[in-house]
C-alpha cells in the first residue's frame, strides 16, 4: 500500500489542512492516518460513511479533503460523498476501493485510487487537489475533469 514517505509537500501549508479519512478496515484506516499525518496534515478518522457524515457535519468549516473507502457498512463512500457534497460542495473527495463493482464516478469524486496503491500516488493526488482553488467555480469543474482522468493515471 505504501512506499515510505519522504517529506511533506513544499508550497502547501499542511498544518492548516484537515483531512478526513474513512475506512472500515482498522489496519487500512490506521495506515492511511499515519501516511497522511507524515505529510504534515491534520487527520480526523471515521470507521464508516455514517460516522464520516456526522464528523464532517460537525467540522465542515475546517475539513478540506476526504479520503474514503467505497464499500463500508451502514453507509458506503458513494452515498456519504453525496451527503457531504450537499453540505459543502467545494469539498475535495478521493474515493478508494480494492473490490467494488459500483460506479464510483456517479459520486463525482475528485479522484479514485484502486487499492492497493502506492504512497507516492496518494501523495500526488492529495497535493494536486489541495493546490486547486476550491472556491472558484471554474476550477471546480476543472478539478472534476482532472479527477476523472485520474482513474486511468492512478
Amino acid at each position: 500500500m505504501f512506499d515510505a514517505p519522504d517529506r511533506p509537500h513544499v508550497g502547501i501549508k499542511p498544518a492548516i489542512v484537515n483531512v478526513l479519512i474513512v475506512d472500515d478496515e482498522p489496519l487500512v484506516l490506521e495506515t492511511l492516518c499515519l501516511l497522511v499525518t507524515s505529510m504534515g496534515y491534520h487527520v480526523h478518522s471515521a470507521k464508516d460513511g455514517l460516522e464520516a457524515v456526522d464528523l464532517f457535519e460537525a467540522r465542515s468549516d475546517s475539513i478540506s479533503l476526504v479520503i474514503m473507502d467505497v464499500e463500508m457498512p451502514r453507509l458506503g463512500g458513494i452515498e456519504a460523498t453525496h451527503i457531504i457534497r450537499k453540505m459543502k460542495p467545494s469539498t475535495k473527495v478521493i474515493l478508494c476501493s480494492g473490490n467494488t463493482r459500483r460506479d464510483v464516478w456517479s459520486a463525482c469524486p475528485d479522484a479514485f485510487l484502486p487499492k492497493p496503491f502506492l504512497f507516492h500516488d496518494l501523495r500526488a493526488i492529495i497535493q494536486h487537489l489541495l493546490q486547486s482553488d476550491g472556491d472558484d467555480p471554474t476550477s471546480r469543474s476543472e478539478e472534476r475533469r482532472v479527477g476523472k482522468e485520474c482513474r486511468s493515471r492512478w
Side-chain angles (χ1 to χ4, degrees), residues 45-118:
S45 65
K47 65 181 182 294
D48 61 45
L50 192 57
E51 190 175 301
V53 167
D54 289 344
L55 198 139
F56 186 85
E57 186 173 31
R59 300 171 187 245
S60 63
D61 58 330
S62 66
I63 294 175
S64 303
L65 174 67
V66 179
I67 302 171
M68 186 160 28
D69 189 23
V70 172
E71 301 290 337
M72 295 180 289
R74 299 197 315 159
L75 186 66
I78 292 172
E79 297 81 5
T81 298
H82 287 297
I83 295 167
I84 286 169
R85 287 268 173 79
K86 282 181 184 173
M87 286 187 256
K88 186 178 170 188
S90 64
T91 303
K92 312 252 192 306
V93 177
I94 300 170
L95 289 178
C96 309
S97 182
N99 189 18
T100 187
R101 298 177 194 270
R102 301 182 64 194
D103 179 17
V104 297
W105 298 105
S106 67
C108 296
D110 295 284
F112 174 74
L113 272 171
K115 292 177 184 175
F117 50 82
L118 298 175

